[in-house]
Amino acid sequence: MSHLFDHFPREVDMRLRKVVRNMDELQGYVSSMNGKDNLTTTVYGFKELKPNKTRCEYSTAIVPHFVIDLDKGRAKEMMDIDDDEAGVRCTVDTHNLVKYLRDCDYRHATWFSGGGYHVWVMLDTIHDVSAMQLNDLLFSGRAMLNKWIKDMDLITVDPVVSFRPDRHIRIPNTFNFKRGLWSIPVDQADLAIGWDHITRMATKASRGMKISGAKGLHIDIVHRDPGNPFMLNNTAMKFDSDDITISASSVSGIPMLPCIEASACVKGSNPSHMPRVYLLMYLLDYFRKFARPPSNTKVPPSEILNKTHGFIHELDWSDYKPDVTRKMIMHGMSREYMTPTCPTLYSQGLCVGKCPFYDGKGGIS
């Protein structure tokens, strides 16, 4: 498993986001916490830490592979079926995806995660690039995956997890504390037998990985103008099969930008600073009813403050502090923060694709 984690530093523990600087520290984390908590790490290692040295600088990710997250919870939500039926559907989706990867001879390995599957796919090169080139790579990768989801009807794939340097994934071959099952390596034969077979296997620990395929996957990277991410040479970009179209959902009853939902609205998480700022900007704008200029709003400031604070409180961030949150909201109100533009979100590597909130920058109608 070590070659999955060739690059350091990286983060572990999605709630605390601790930095580990080498394989010994990563293995020490696993040895001390396995069976006591859900063990997670970033998919990627990084070249730099943030100035305070307590987090990784996500724009410096080194990208040799990507991970596809398939979750039975998505089947339950989308198909209104019970837990076992959702597990079966998730297994079928994973089998179809793995078959495609094997048919293409792409090097990959799959783990049962407890509530679904994680498929690691090797790329044909290790991408060690600038921040803007990284944004183009991550966006192009998500576009490719979105097309796979549509072409293979992979409804249990979470489209916003892959190609996200800030996101954590379960460490292979560790115990799923919530599910009471082990993360175990599986292959196409296991997936063909089915969900019940795999969950029985997962009652016991397993080691190693089941690797298939010989070649790395190539991603066609489209380089974009950061100010107009959906334009090339002053021409609106064309995409096949709506391969970057992303649906939007609501969080606590509020329609949410998919990029901000993915980066700042995962309950119990510990988002990085800028996604929190962008969420605050959007919430203030939303609760002002998007008044322009913001000072024209008819909504009382106390209502804006209380509703914004209430929304953030419900997210249950692991480091949530009421006094700090209130201070930041009041600062945002005084500065009349407004929703960030799509180019801004793209420049931060947060854009997950063209969504219903796309603001028109770049000329797509």
Side-chain angles (χ1 to χ4, degrees):
M1 187 177 73
S2 60
H3 74 268
L4 298 178
F5 305 111
D6 280 344
H7 301 106
F8 291 89
R10 63 176 56 239
E11 293 178 358
V12 297
D13 191 331
M14 66 180 294
R15 293 173 302 170
L16 300 179
R17 291 188 178 270
K18 298 177 181 179
V19 173
V20 294
R21 291 169 171 79
N22 51 56
M23 179 58 73
D24 287 342
E25 291 186 5
L26 176 60
Q27 290 177 334
Y29 164 68
V30 173
S31 298
S32 63
M33 298 303 295
N34 201 7
K36 301 175 184 177
D37 201 354
N38 291 317
L39 306 192
T40 67
T41 184
T42 47
V43 173
Y44 305 116
F46 302 87
K47 291 175 287 189
E48 299 176 16
L49 299 176
K50 292 184 181 296
N52 62 12
K53 305 300 182 183
T54 61
R55 284 196 177 186
C56 294
E57 181 56 69
Y58 304 126
S59 64
T60 68
I62 301 170
V63 182
H65 51 235
F66 65 101
V67 177
I68 304 171
D69 179 19
L70 299 98
D71 185 353
K72 68 176 181 178
R74 291 180 61 83
K76 290 178 66 175
E77 178 181 338
M78 297 175 68
M79 301 178 68
D80 192 24
I81 55 180
D82 66 29
D83 197 67
D84 285 339
E85 290 174 314
V88 170
R89 175 55 195 256
C90 187
T91 304
V92 169
D93 281 2
T94 307
H95 178 271
N96 291 340
L97 173 62
V98 166
K99 182 179 184 302
Y100 169 78
L101 296 172
R102 283 196 62 176
D103 289 347
C104 294
D105 199 29
Y106 293 139
R107 194 167 179 82
H108 65 280
T110 305
W111 277 269
F112 174 66
S113 65
Y117 302 90
H118 295 156
V119 182
W120 294 66
V121 184
M122 187 180 77
L123 297 175
D124 63 347
T125 188
I126 297 174
H127 295 273
D128 183 352
V129 296
S130 70
M132 191 60 220
Q133 290 172 319
L134 179 65
N135 293 339
D136 290 338
L137 165 66
L138 301 177
F139 190 87
S140 298
R142 288 192 287 264
M144 175 194 70
L145 180 59
N146 291 337
K147 191 172 190 307
W148 288 2
I149 291 170
K150 181 171 183 177
D151 290 349
M152 291 183 264
D153 193 27
L154 305 176
I155 67 169
T156 58
V157 171
D158 188 337
V160 300
V161 169
S162 299
F163 297 99
R164 289 286 307 281
D166 62 317
R167 290 299 285 264
H168 281 226
I169 205 81
R170 186 175 305 282
I171 297 176
N173 301 337
T174 60
F175 188 68
N176 185 321
F177 193 74
K178 177 181 177 181
R179 305 280 185 181
L181 295 169
W182 286 89
S183 168
I184 60 170
V186 297
D187 58 18
Q188 187 177 354
D190 296 318
L191 295 164
I193 297 173
W195 172 260
D196 290 341
H197 163 71
I198 291 172
T199 54
R200 285 194 298 270
M201 290 172 53
T203 59
K204 297 179 180 180
S206 184
R207 299 174 62 85
M209 62 179 75
K210 298 181 177 181
I211 300 175
S212 182
K215 66 182 183 181
L217 182 148
H218 177 74
I219 295 178
D220 291 321
I221 302 173
V222 178
H223 298 289
R224 295 171 169 80
D225 177 349
N228 293 287
F230 294 113
M231 293 282 282
L232 284 178
N233 300 321
N234 297 316
T235 302
M237 295 180 66
K238 303 296 183 183
F239 297 91
D240 294 333
S241 304
D242 296 322
D243 58 357
I244 63 159
T245 299
I246 299 294
S247 61
S249 59
S250 294
V251 178
S252 297
I254 294 176
M256 185 56 61
L257 279 66
C259 51
I260 294 178
E261 179 181 359
S263 60
C265 296
V266 177
K267 192 174 180 66
S269 66
N270 187 349
S272 54
H273 177 66
M274 289 312 301
R276 298 184 196 221
V277 172
Y278 296 142
L279 172 63
L280 173 60
M281 295 168 74
Y282 175 71
L283 290 174
L284 292 176
D285 219 0
Y286 178 85
F287 289 124
R288 285 193 303 256
K289 302 186 183 299
F290 300 101
R292 294 292 185 271
S295 57
N296 281 354
T297 185
K298 305 300 182 183
V299 183
S302 60
E303 181 178 333
I304 298 170
L305 171 63
N306 291 335
K307 287 185 174 180
T308 302
H309 200 164
F311 182 96
I312 294 173
H313 173 72
E314 286 296 315
L315 292 176
D316 195 28
W317 287 338
S318 61
D319 62 345
Y320 167 74
K321 292 182 176 62
D323 54 336
V324 174
T325 301
R326 181 181 178 87
K327 180 179 178 181
M328 293 303 297
I329 295 172
M330 294 182 69
H331 172 75
M333 292 175 65
S334 70
R335 297 290 298 272
E336 296 189 341
Y337 280 172
M338 295 186 291
T339 303
T341 65
C342 289
T344 295
L345 294 163
Y346 184 90
S347 71
Q348 293 292 318
L350 300 178
C351 180
V352 296
K354 183 185 175 187
C355 75
F357 295 100
Y358 175 60
D359 63 12
K361 300 294 190 301
I364 285 183
S365 59

